Amino acid sequence: MTVDLTRPSVWIKGVAAFWRHDKTREAVGVLAMAAAILSLAALATFDPHDPCFFTYASASDRQVRNAVGRAGAEVGGDLLGLLGLSALLVPPALFHWGWIWVGGRRLVHAGRRGLGLLVLVPSVSLLATVLYQLHVVPGGRVERPGGYLGDEMFRLLFFFLGTFGLAVVALAGLALAVISL
């Protein structure tokens, strides 16, 4: 007896069975935890002179200083360039997600917690940009502490709310995210 793969209901059931299998869940969880550890190492050993999407390395300075190598330089530079200090939330979130897949337990109130994480990331980015604009947080190794996300939110909302209003919005978002998580 052959299986008719032209019917979507047949192969969708096969894919669903594959993802429900315990070994698949454990493998995905282990890969997510490994990605969390590698992204943490990439962020921890970030060097602003490493070549990535958000930085330009001259031809004479092509040496990669990141502990994870070229991939780590790209991941670390891109996460920090896009999210700023909020990039530090990515490794714990990945590790937690992997731990859940390995353990097989469902996350209680997953929708609410996911919404909390979606509010937390832009709030931290905006707050870092506001504090940078007020000269409270220095640029240091990261050129823009709020990343592209924080800078764009600041640029779009500054006219309407001003610096104080943006700080209040960022802190309110941070409080809502903590309550949701």
Side-chain angles (χ1 to χ4, degrees):
M1 179 175 186
T2 62
V3 178
D4 183 17
L5 293 179
T6 60
R7 295 178 42 212
S9 62
V10 173
W11 61 266
I12 287 176
K13 286 179 186 176
V15 170
F18 172 77
W19 283 106
R20 280 193 305 260
H21 195 273
D22 289 341
K23 295 300 178 190
T24 303
R25 291 180 56 81
E26 290 174 4
V28 168
V30 168
L31 289 174
M33 288 190 287
I37 293 168
L38 287 173
S39 64
L40 180 64
L43 289 169
T45 59
F46 168 75
D47 189 330
H49 300 293
D50 283 346
C52 72
F53 183 77
F54 286 95
T55 61
Y56 174 76
S58 65
S60 63
D61 191 26
R62 296 227 184 251
Q63 179 185 4
V64 176
R65 295 165 194 85
N66 197 296
V68 187
R70 173 74 181 165
E74 193 69 45
V75 168
D78 292 349
L79 280 174
L80 286 169
L82 184 64
L83 301 175
L85 296 177
S86 295
L88 298 175
L89 299 170
V90 171
L94 267 175
F95 194 85
H96 182 70
W97 183 65
W99 187 263
I100 289 169
W101 275 73
V102 168
R105 290 191 219 116
R106 295 281 180 207
L107 187 62
V108 180
H109 306 292
R112 186 186 75 199
R113 291 177 185 218
L115 182 64
L117 190 60
L118 285 176
V119 171
L120 182 65
V121 169
S123 297
V124 169
S125 292
L126 180 60
L127 186 61
T129 298
V130 168
L131 293 176
Y132 177 70
Q133 294 294 329
L134 294 173
H135 305 291
V136 175
V137 174
R141 287 176 57 191
V142 180
E143 186 177 314
R144 302 178 316 190
Y148 179 76
L149 178 65
D151 288 354
E152 283 302 302
M153 288 176 62
F154 186 87
R155 184 184 65 81
L156 292 171
L157 298 174
F158 180 74
F159 177 75
F160 297 109
L161 300 171
T163 306
F164 181 75
L166 286 174
V168 170
V169 166
L171 290 172
L174 194 60
L176 286 173
V178 168
I179 290 169
S180 295
L181 291 173

